[in-house]
Structure formats: C-alpha cells, structure tokens
Amino acid sequence: MADTINLTTTTTSSTLEPVFSFLAQALTTLETTFYKLPGSAVIQRYVKSSHQNDPGRTILELILVVFAIRTLLQSRTRADRTGSHFIQFNKKEIDELVDEWAPEPLGAPLTPSEQYDLHALPIVAGQNGVKPKLVSTGKTAVNLASLNFAGLAGNEYIKERAVETLRKYGLGSCGPPGFYGTLDVHMDLERDIADFLGTEASILYSQGFSTVSSVIPAFCKRGDIIVADRGVNFAIQKGIQISRSTVRWYDHNDLESLEAVLQSIEKDRKKRRGPLTRRFIITEGIFERDGAMVDLPKIIELKYKYKYRLLLDESYSFGAVGRTGRGLTEIYNVPASKVDMLIGSCAIGLCAGGGFCAGSNIVVDHQRINGPSFVFSAAMPALLAVSASEGINIFRSTPSIFETLQENVRAARAILDKVEYLTIPSHPASPLIHIQIKPAYSPAASTSNALSSPSSSSSVGTPAPLSPPPSTAGSLHPVSAAMLTPTKHTRDHHEKLLLHPEVIEAEERLLQEIVDECLSQNVMVTKAKRLRGQENVEARPGLKLAISAGLTRKEIEKAVGVVKAVCVKVLGRRK
Amino acid sequence: MALTKPSTPSIFKKKSTTSLSPMASAASYLSALSQADARAREQMNGSPTSTPALSISSSVTSSSEDTVLHEEDDNRDGLALPARPPTSEQVFTTVHTEFGHCANEKFRMTSQHTRGEPVPGHVDQDPPYYILLSTYISYLILIVLGHIRDFLGKRFRASSYHHLMPRDGYAPLNSDFDSFYTRRLKTRMDECFSQPVTGVAGRTIVLLDRMSPDYNHTQLFTGTRTRALNISSYNYLGFAQARGGCADAVEESIKRYGVSTCGSRLEGGSSDLHTISEALVAKFVGMEDALISSMGFATNSTFIPALVGKGCLVISDELNHASIRFGVRISGASVRMFKHNDMKALESLLREVISQGQPKTHRPWKKILVIVEGLYSMEGTLVNLPAIIELKKKYKFYLFVDEAHSVGAMGPHGRGVADYFGINPRKIDVLMGTFTKSFGAAGGYIAGSKTLIDRLRVHGHSGPYAEAMTPPVLIQVVASMASIMGVKPPQPHASSGGLRLTHAPPPVEEEYHHPGPAPHSALPLWLALPQELSLGTEGATRLRRLAFNSRYLHNGLIKLGFITYGHPASPIVPLLLFNPGKMCMFHRMMKDRQTPIIVVVVAYPATPLVTSRVRFCVSAAHTKEDIDTILQACDEVGDVLDLKHGIPRSERWTIDEISSRAVELAGMMK
Ligand SMILES: Cc1ncc(COP(=O)(O)O)c(C=O)c1O
C-alpha cells in the first residue's frame, strides 16, 4: 500500500497533473455540496472569523494535515540513495567490496585485569543479607557491599507475604501494564509509595535502573532544555542522551555553578526570544558516584526562581536517609510535591525490585503512555510488588531502623575519616560511603614525572580533570567548567593526571588488593565498578561501602576497622 | 508437520497421588475413590473404559483453597470446570482455571519446520476498498472532531486545558499537539487498555470491573470481578501458575534466598543462583555462555550499546521492538532499517552499505550487526532464519536475534527459532530472549560465546548499575526450563527407556542435534522437581499443546473468513480489524459474552495506521474447547462487525465443521 504511493511520489511530477485537476474539481463539487447543506453558512462564517482572528492557526492546521499525509506516505525503508555522497558501483565492484570487507570482532576479549576482577567477584551462597555465606571461602562475611540500607533483606515477614502472594498470583505478570499486566498489588504499591512520600500519584517500573532513563525521554524532547549535574549517575546520562534535548551541565553538586548556567540560559533566551520550551533540572539526591548529597531547598528555590521543573533521582536516598526513610525531602523537610518528578528504587531502598516515579497525576499519567520501559515491558512480578509494599509498612511502623542506620553511618565515618590515606567525598549522613585514595598517596604522585612529559599529557583525550575536593561539596570539575570557574593551570594539570588511564588502572589494582584482603578477613566490600570510557565524566576509582541498619554498631565498627587496617597496610606499604 | 503420536506422555499422570498438593479433603477423597474404582475395573477386564467420574471433577479444580478467586464456583461462565468431566483414570495436577485440563492426545502437534519448504514472508492481505476508505474516513473524522473540540474547549473550558498550555512561564509538560492522538483517539477506547486484573494470568484471568462516568477521563472500580478466558497474556507455555512444581520450587527459593540479592551483579548482588541459572540458560539455548538481566527491555537497551558503537552499523528490521531501538540509539551506531522480514531488501541494503562504507568518509564499517526478532509480537511473522544465515555467510555481518516471543514457544524442543528451523544456534552470534513470556517469570538473557558474554558482563550497562535478578524469578526460570529440557538423574548408568539421550554429538555444521536433557548437577542441589517435571514429560506436553492450539486457532480463523497475519505456527495470531471504531466494539463484545473473553486490540502507533488488529496470544494452558469458544465468539462478532474479508464465502467452513475437524485443520498448511 505505502509502497505504491511511494512509487508515485518518486516519479516525475508531470504524472501528478491529472490528479491535481481531479482534486480541484472534486474540491469545487465538495464546496457546492457543502453550501447546500443546512447550517453550512454558520460554519463558513465561523471559519472565516476564526481565520481573521488567528490566521496562524489555519496555517498550522493545514500544515498538520500535510504533515499527516506525508508521514502516511513516507516509507520508512527508503534507502538513502539521494545523498550527494552516494557512489555508483556496478555489481562486480560491489561483490569485490563485499569480499574485501572484514569486520572487527564483535567483542574483544577482556584484559587480564578485567578478567581478574570478574573472577574475584564475591558470590553469595544462599541468602544475601548482612552476613552472607560466600561461595569462594565457604565462610560468612560481614557485608559492606550489598545495598541493604534498612536491613530488609531476608526479613521473615516479607518472605511470608511473598509466598502468600506467589500462591495467589503466580510469579510473572505475563504482560505489559497496558495489556492485562496491571495487577491490584501494583496499584496498591503505587498508592503506598505516593502516600508515603506525600505526592498525588506514582508509577512503577519493573527495573530500578531503567526507571530514570525512561522517565527523562518521556518528558524531555528535542529542543527542550536540560540542566544537569555533571556527576549524575549512568542511568540519567543515558536518559538524557536518548531524549535528544539540549543539555547544559553544571559542576558537580555546585549550586553556584547551577545558578550561573541558569542565568546564562535565561540571557540566551531573552536575546533570542525563542518560544517557551520545557526546562528541567536533573540531579540526584545522594549521588551514586560519590555519596554526596544535594542541597535540596536551594535547588527548589532556584527551580522556582528560573521556572524549571525538577527531576530528582532518589535511588540511593529513598529508604536510606530521613527520619523514616523517605529520603531527601524528609531530611530537608521539603514537601515531596515540590519535586516534579521524584524517582526512587524499590530494588535498592526496599530490597524488592523495580523503581518508581512519584509526582502529580499529570506527570504520572503522562508516563503511562510515554515512558518507553513502562509501556514496552512486562509489569513486575506480583510478589516483588507486595514485598516492596511490606517494606514501606515496616518503615512506617519502625522508624527506629533509620536511627540505627544513622548511628552505624556515624560509627563508620568516625573510623574512616581519620585514615590518613583516604578521602571521603560522601556526605556524613549518607549510608553509601565512597572511599578514594588521597591524591598525595595515589600512584599518580609517583608516576607524575613519567606522565607529565608534554607528549603524554597532550594525548590524554577523554578523561576530564577533577578538582581537589573543596572543604565540603563536590569533587569534579570537568574541562569545560574551566570557563566558568577558572582554575589554576597547575591544579588543572594535577587533576588531569589523577584521571590518566594509567593512574586509574594503578589505583584500581591497589583497591582490588584492598578488596581481596578484606574478603580474606571476612569483610565483603566492593570497588565502585565503572564503565570506563562510556561515562560522561570519568570518576576516580574508589571503594563503595553500603552501611546497613541490620548490623549492630559493634559489628560495623569491627568490619570498618578491618577495612581501615587493610587500607593502611596496602596504601602505607607504598610510602 | 508431524502430527501427534498418541503415545507421548502427557501432562496428567496416572495413579500417583504423591506429588499432589494438599487438597480439600472432599476432593481428595473423591479422587481417591475414583482411582480405586478405576483400578478395580482395570483388573476386571484389562482395558479401562473412560467413564465420567462420580463427582463433578476429580481434579484439583474443585479444591476451593487453590485460588482466591473461586467465590463463584457455579461455572456459569463455563470457565471454572472443564467442558468434559475427566474420566476416572485422569488425575490432573493443574488448576483448571490456570492451566486447562485437556487429556485428548489428538490435540497435540510438534512445532517444527519442514526442511526445504519455503518460509512464508510477511504478506499483507488487503481488505476490500470500502473498508480501507471507511478506515481513512474514520480517522479523518476523529482528527477533525478532535481539533474542533480542542478549538472550542480551549475557549470555553479553559480549565481542563490548563495542563496543555504554557502557564506562569512554564511550557506545558505535554503540548496539545504532541498529546492530540492520546487525548482525542486513545482516550475514546481507554476501556480496552490497562484493565487491572488480579490473580494468575493463566488460562483465565480475573478482571477488576471498572466503569467510567466521564468518557474515560477517570475509571472507577465497581467492586465486582469477572473471570474471563485469557487469550491475551504472553503465557505461551502456561507457566503462569500459582500451583504446581514450579511454584513449589519458587516458594522454597523464597524461604532459602529471600526476595532480593541486594545490588548489581558486579557490586555485591551476585548469588550462586545466578551462576547456576546462567549456565542452564546457555545449555537451554545451545550457546557457550549466557548472562541474565532483571528486565527484558533492559537486556536490549543496556547490552546492545556494549556490542556496537560509533563506526558500526546496525541493520534493523523495521518492526523491531522499542527496546532494540532504545539500545541502538544509545549505542551511537548508525542505523539502517529494512522492510519487515524481506530478505531481498536486506540483501540489497547489505550490498549498498558494505560498498558505500560509512557516510561521508566512505571508510569501511567496523562491524555490521543485523538485529531481527525471532517472532514478531504484533505480526506473528517468523524470521526467515535460513535465508539470513545464508546471507551471513556471504556478507559477514553479525547476527543478533531477539527471541523474546519465540524462545519456549517455537521449535520441537522449545528452544526458539533456531530449533524450529533445525539450525545450529551457534551460527547466530547473539541470542537474546526474555523470561516474561514462555517461562512465566521476568527479565531476560543474552547468550553467545564465552568471550563475548564475559565482555558484556563487564562492559554492559547492567553489570555495574542495574539490580540483579531476584531469587524467586531465577528459580521460576530454572524450574520451568528444566521441566522443558528434562533432567538426567544423577546416576547416568541407571537409564531406562529411550527418553534419555546420552551425550549429544558435538555440533555439526549443518544439521542441528538437540543436546538432550540437562544434567542433574545443573540444578541447585536442594531443588527437587516432581517427577513429571524432571522427566520432561510435562514440558513436552506443553510444547505440543501450544503447537496444536496455535495452528488450530490460526487456521480456524482463516477458515471462518477472517484476515490474519503471521506464520501459522506462531502462537501470536493477529486478526485484522482495520476500522478504529471496531476495536472497541470487538473488545466489548468479546468481554460481554456469557463466557467472557479478553483480547488485546492494538492500533496506530504500534501498527500502521490502517491495520488495527486484535492480537491473540495462544497458550498451552488453553484446551481445545477454549479455542472452540474463541472461534465461536469471533464467528459471531465477526458477522456483526463485518470482519470476514479473507477467503470467499464458498471456501469458508462453518464453526461446527471447524470444531469437529480440528485435528485435520490444524495439520493443514496455510
Ligand atoms: C521483542 C521484544 N524484546 C524485548 C521485550 C521486553 O521484554 P520485557 O517485557 O521482559 O521487558 C519484548 C516485550 O514485549 C519484546 O517483544
């Protein structure tokens, strides 16, 4: 069907002439019959007057019709042969080219160190939780790696409820939410989340990681403006990439830089007098990349001042901080309704599965039709939804969990903050604690001479520099930021050095040594795993500790003590 | 197409009460009684005659504790109890509402490609012109009316347009232009979408009835429930069950492992279950290694970028799933599309892109990855795998097959399209699939060579960042897969009968030899599957029931005179409606029958504008009587809605003829 029409469009326009004359004739007959209809005069007058009031609208409608017809007729498979770069080959030449062509391998093998890291991964035998048994050692270890902030993993009551749900619903939902995949338990969980946070509604996605990368393209389209923190997590980066919106980055967790960007956009807009576009600020509550926490009230103030919408990813703060685990809005006592799209993870915060986006009814309903991974993916298993609901119930009934958690975090920080060799970019209240090697003790310090020769430093393409952590906030200042906040050349150079691939590799090896050594002392920790070369801004290597409320203070102190001792041993040896 | 051998073991087993879940005492008593009765008769005259049992049913159907949803046990809708009461020697282990009782061994087939037979491409059958014309006019009216309503509404009922207009310096989240289709077309038939349900998405499903007082702007629950025949869920093999061996295994896994592994695979969320299930999945699909991801969509969207990048080209079927497009777009590779399942178009595109090289620079492409689906979810077309494999030899591209809908559902052993065509899966570079469909679980896998999979583990986006798959889901996958494969008992020498194949020969170039049952060691040690699962008999029956049901429904619809799309062996059977107004009507008329049937209707943008359709997803859980019910309903509704534009009236069969010649019909080629 479409093909035949496509054919006619590609032939010369002369064949279309009779069609045009026919069309004109048809139009006139249509017009006369239209006038014969009773009441047509009213419509005619109406159209005329509306045309007078708003001629642009008529044109718009016309364009719309033309556009609709065009999309109808356009075949999606049409080859791009018309481009000026097309070279004509004959059959034999093509055959030769086909024979000559040799593709690269689909996947290059891992490097030895990647392979080593993959094999060194701790694998839990049986139930994961605060003290899992490991396959490699056969012993139980204290778990500072798995995300189990509130200690819900292995909760007997949740397990019981999960079994009950299994016996009512089976396991899989066997369909996307639009087509008989929406279960009552999904709606219950959506309501529970919205009530818990204090928003109008919420929507469930079947994977935490895919939530934000689906929410962003549901709202942000080509031409919209996104102002985002340079240090946002990978899922947000991908969401921004796929949205095709115009992105402006501001320095990691630096709200002055944010305001500067907002101002410059405002100036641009005034100058250009373009149409009003949707504008979004996208940031995280607790940053996955370093555990820093955003100053929510300040961001909200800026968002209202410059009329932006705020998308806040609370994947690592929901169920982790706040008096009852509601996340940043609770810490700062900001109504959650002021955050336009609040994203959280039921997999991380509630030890179940999936993610959610909470917001107004309009925001939520829009995603039910436009969120790619909501529309095109099966709904989450019923028993995970019920487990998540039970998690929220536990938060409501036993807020003491979060007191315990904060105590544990404080205990851990009290030990770690004192270690000479380490920097900790994480917020003091964050149960996600990143540990990095202090620049002075980094292999960069010793290799600096070797690497600072002009030839090698100029070859550093991808990695962006990192500012030495200022007393409190963020830790990354990418290259282009230099224009906004001029940094001294020497410092710049030093930062670049820390993110030199060789330095990163050397630090990774040291950290892996720490991980292995901790494991042999039955403390499970993990490096912050990264997709080097694929991230927006390279992060410094580090360890990622996840503190749980399920451990007692004593246990935390003991386990973190082990980490400290190992760090001192491994890093101190180098001096 | 091989017709059924009546000797194949089936899903119901004879005389074994050991693994029956605890039943309501009356039911178990009755079934025990009927068994005793049968045994006695067997001894008397040697040949058991099939007499109806004493009770309404000797099966688990009558145990009311089985599902929450059995308030209405009166069977007025004909769904709760089998049409034909089971005979005395039949003991079914499934709940009839979840997995229908069907003992007739004639209603079984094998899903297999006959070598040498051409693979049907995708044929669009056009309806009469007046249908096309009225379809276009319908859309025109809808669009014009919609615009008039918008135009007037904005002036007279501005408050309901607030969220579509710029306000206080904020651009609307959703401009009226972008949302026009949703507001003015989709809202009109919202009753067909997002219907909330409860209970198991098995053979039947329970709807939470709703109504809208304000033209679908809000939906209110009436508080009542309706059980309906479910021909909509992706439950191909019928593993959506709250009872039975798989569910028992899942329960055990929750007790042993909890519901989460707390973290991503690379950061403290790996469990021994992941290792076990990945090995089993690799074995199942016949690849060297596999990895599992907690969401099917994310399997594509996070691993395709690890396969290709800048300087690479992806050649994608035009009807590929949104998750594939998402992944390809993120990867930064160039994309070209070819006409759906058209191998000529693919070849000419390949010749063009290889000879032209990268745009502007004309440098050769680093890699070319052809991405196709095994079975297309809206069309029911089966990929022409033999032809693609031929092309692959010549053009040296890499091949990625998304088997979301075909794994489990196609092939004599349920291993997907490669199995269906008898092609060695190792000839495909990357096999991807999901567990949401045939296995009644969630998530997806990607399988390939060990080097490749290891690379994806480390460089795919999911590894470090996405949550790992949870233990209950893993065990559902393991148990359902193992029950399809069958499990070799621990002692290999104690074999009996021909069921157990010994070690398969190493993969041969052309012919594909099925590797046989999984070794016992491939399952978790604690997992004790009931015998009918570990022998693989139940799995085999499921595959054969699905194959029969698919062909029967497909050919039945054609014989009734409908226009359908897709491969006759496909469990996805689209029935063309064309007119948008008919979608809602079809949906409602099917739902309001005495035996309510729920269907999925799809329209633009999921399909081309004119070819609105209803999509049936056949399941092994359906009985032949269920398919009859559906055909009967379609027959009646089709007459009312003027849908029969396929074959001419003289070639059509009556519904009774179809029902009585079902086996013959299912065996017919299109
Ligand atoms: C071809 C294809 N790929 C991937 C998916 C996504 O799978 P899931 O629903 O498990 O996320 C689907 C599901 O609809 C599909 O049809």
Side-chain angles (χ1 to χ4, degrees), chain A residues 175-176 206 373 375-379, chain B residues 234 294-300 319-324 372-378 402-405 432-437 441-444 615:
Chain A
S206 45
S373 71
V375 176
F376 295 106
S377 179
Chain B
Y234 302 134
S294 54
M295 183 191 198
F297 187 98
T299 314
N300 279 330
L319 294 182
N320 273 350
H321 191 253
S323 56
I324 298 175
V372 291
E373 286 183 31
L375 184 61
Y376 289 83
S377 59
M378 290 296 164
D402 180 336
E403 293 225 68
H405 291 268
M432 175 269 169
T434 65
F435 303 120
T436 359
K437 281 101 193 175
R615 181 188 60 182

Side-chain angles (χ1 to χ4, degrees), chain A residues 46 64 87 95 99 101 104 124 146 167 174 178 180 182 184 207 241-242 307 309 378 529 535 544, chain B residues 151 168 171 177 194 197-198 234 242 248 267-268 272 294 329-330 351 356 365-366 396 398 436 465 599:
Chain A
Y46 181 80
L64 204 104
I87 309 171
D95 281 337
D99 282 343
W101 181 64
E104 287 178 7
V124 172
S146 307
R167 291 312 187 177
C174 285
Y180 309 101
T182 310
D184 44 2
Q207 191 191 46
Q241 184 192 341
I242 204 157
K307 299 197 188 296
R309 291 188 172 90
K529 300 281 177 164
E535 313 246 359
K544 196 172 170 185
Chain B
F151 182 81
D168 322 327
F177 179 81
S194 306
V197 295
T198 184
Y234 302 134
D248 295 342
E267 289 184 351
D272 54 342
S294 54
R329 240 167 88 178
I330 282 188
R351 294 178 69 83
Q356 293 294 323
W365 296 103
K366 288 185 186 157
K396 297 171 280 192
Y398 296 110
T436 359
Y465 297 124
V599 297

